[in-house]
Amino acid sequence: MTQSPDHPELLYVEALKTDGKPMYTIGRPDGKPLWVVIHDMEKTESSGCAEWTANYFHTGAGGRSVSSHYTADNDSIVQCVLLRHSAWTVGNRPGNNRGINWELCGYAAQTRTQWLDAFGLAMFSRMVPIIRSDAAKYGIPLVKRTIAELRAWTPGVTSHNDLGLAFGGTDHTDPGSNFPWDVFMQMLTGGTAPPPSGGDDDMLCQQGETGPKVQALQFVLIECGADLGPAGADAKYGQATANALGAIVGDSGQFYGPWQWAKLFAKLAQVKGGAGVPGPAGPAGPQGPPGKDGLGVGDPVTVTGTITAS
Ligand SMILES: [Zn+2]
């Protein structure tokens, strides 16, 4: 049994073709990972799912060139592609080359209740520390991104479905419309971050504003060690809040949006004893020719067509 060099607590089963060559792209040709990507395996909940799928990638026995960084079920996570390499799973170049891809045990057709059964919650719990660690390593904010944000190369958390809608090359819809994103994101952020949002608008605020969004920001600033003066977290975005934010994110502090959030999150991880955290990734350069097609394991749909990245 091989330990994962990325996460020594995980088993590493390399995704290989039947001829022994890697079933993934060596390296990250378009730059460091931007997105944590959720897929499902289209397999019934079973504690053998992660191992079965890792073995499917390892032997290439399915005859398809597919892989994923991680496979997950309720009692284990297996790493199949190292983080510094690009897995073949999304069917478009941005998703493969910029993604940290996860295959979860389950079906895209599952109901919310089915995702939130004991099996699903155990699987999510196992994933949380790994995702947090990877996100900290690459400066990926634990925020669910919109299609527009993906197209703007905003780092964060997303799905196979949304990467397909953003960049084409696939019509997969996993992990399905009932995936419990609210619960999943709440578990990932652990309550120390602002609440998950459907878009940046939920997060934006600026000096002069008042209200719960401002107060949430102030709580995080205080957790980062900022001194907001005698008023503390008074829900008013005044000069003390701007100064405290500016000192951490390196600007005037008069405006709070996703990029400030990413820097603040990195600082918070640092303060909370996390590893050294790089800043958020910059926008990607122009995209080259199409990448490898990928398929979800057991997904019935064939991926074809040209990949566009605009
Ligand atoms: Zn998928």
Side-chain angles (χ1 to χ4, degrees):
M1 293 291 149
T2 310
Q3 279 185 322
S4 156
D6 288 328
H7 298 282
E9 69 274 33
L10 298 185
L11 181 65
Y12 174 52
V13 178
E14 188 182 11
L16 298 171
K17 292 182 189 169
T18 45
D19 62 6
K21 290 185 181 150
M23 201 147 58
Y24 54 85
T25 300
I26 302 288
R28 291 281 189 174
D30 296 332
K32 69 178 183 174
L34 295 177
W35 302 305
V36 173
V37 188
I38 303 302
H39 304 250
D40 71 68
M41 299 172 184
E42 294 298 296
K43 283 182 72 66
T44 304
E45 290 181 343
S46 130
S47 57
C49 269
E51 293 81 358
W52 187 94
T53 302
N55 192 55
Y56 178 93
F57 295 149
H58 179 63
T59 61
R64 293 190 294 186
S65 293
V66 290
S67 58
S68 189
H69 290 94
Y70 301 105
T71 60
D73 62 37
N74 65 328
D75 71 351
S76 52
I77 292 169
V78 182
Q79 187 160 10
C80 308
V81 176
L82 298 182
L83 292 169
R84 64 175 182 271
H85 302 313
S86 308
W88 299 345
T89 180
V90 179
N92 62 50
R93 181 169 177 146
N96 284 348
N97 287 4
R98 307 307 294 271
I100 297 174
N101 284 284
W102 282 85
E103 287 286 351
L104 278 57
C105 189
Y107 288 96
Q110 281 183 182
T111 63
R112 178 180 171 87
T113 307
Q114 286 172 325
W115 278 115
L116 293 175
D117 63 10
F119 184 101
L121 288 172
M123 178 167 64
F124 294 168
S125 302
R126 286 192 174 272
M127 295 168 66
V128 164
I130 305 296
I131 291 178
R132 282 187 187 163
S133 161
D134 292 349
K137 180 174 181 178
Y138 292 107
I140 300 172
L142 294 174
V143 177
K144 174 86 181 339
R145 291 305 178 191
T146 64
I147 311 296
E149 287 168 337
L150 297 175
R151 288 186 178 138
W153 307 101
T154 314
V157 180
T158 186
S159 65
H160 193 172
N161 179 71
D162 285 5
L163 282 170
L165 293 175
F167 300 108
T170 174
D171 54 8
H172 289 199
T173 58
D174 54 312
S177 53
N178 298 321
F179 189 80
W181 284 105
D182 54 339
V183 175
F184 186 70
M185 295 309 299
Q186 186 63 41
M187 288 174 76
L188 278 185
T189 55
T192 58
S197 71
D200 284 351
D201 286 353
D202 292 340
M203 197 190 297
L204 297 178
C205 54
Q206 55 189 323
Q207 193 167 352
E209 236 174 273
T210 60
K213 265 193 295 192
V214 174
Q215 196 169 38
L217 165 64
Q218 290 174 324
F219 283 134
V220 179
L221 286 170
I222 290 168
E223 280 204 67
C224 286
D227 179 7
L228 297 182
D234 60 358
K236 293 175 187 161
Y237 199 148
Q239 195 58 49
T241 299
N243 290 345
L245 179 64
I248 291 172
V249 305
D251 61 21
S252 71
Q254 291 170 330
F255 178 84
Y256 179 64
W259 294 102
Q260 285 79 10
W261 192 89
K263 288 180 184 175
L264 192 61
F265 172 81
K267 173 72 175 177
L268 185 64
Q270 223 173 34
V271 170
K272 296 281 180 191
V277 179
Q287 295 297 301
K292 304 279 185 186
D293 280 349
L295 288 168
V297 178
D299 283 348
V301 185
T302 304
V303 174
T304 55
T306 315
I307 285 79
T308 52
S310 59

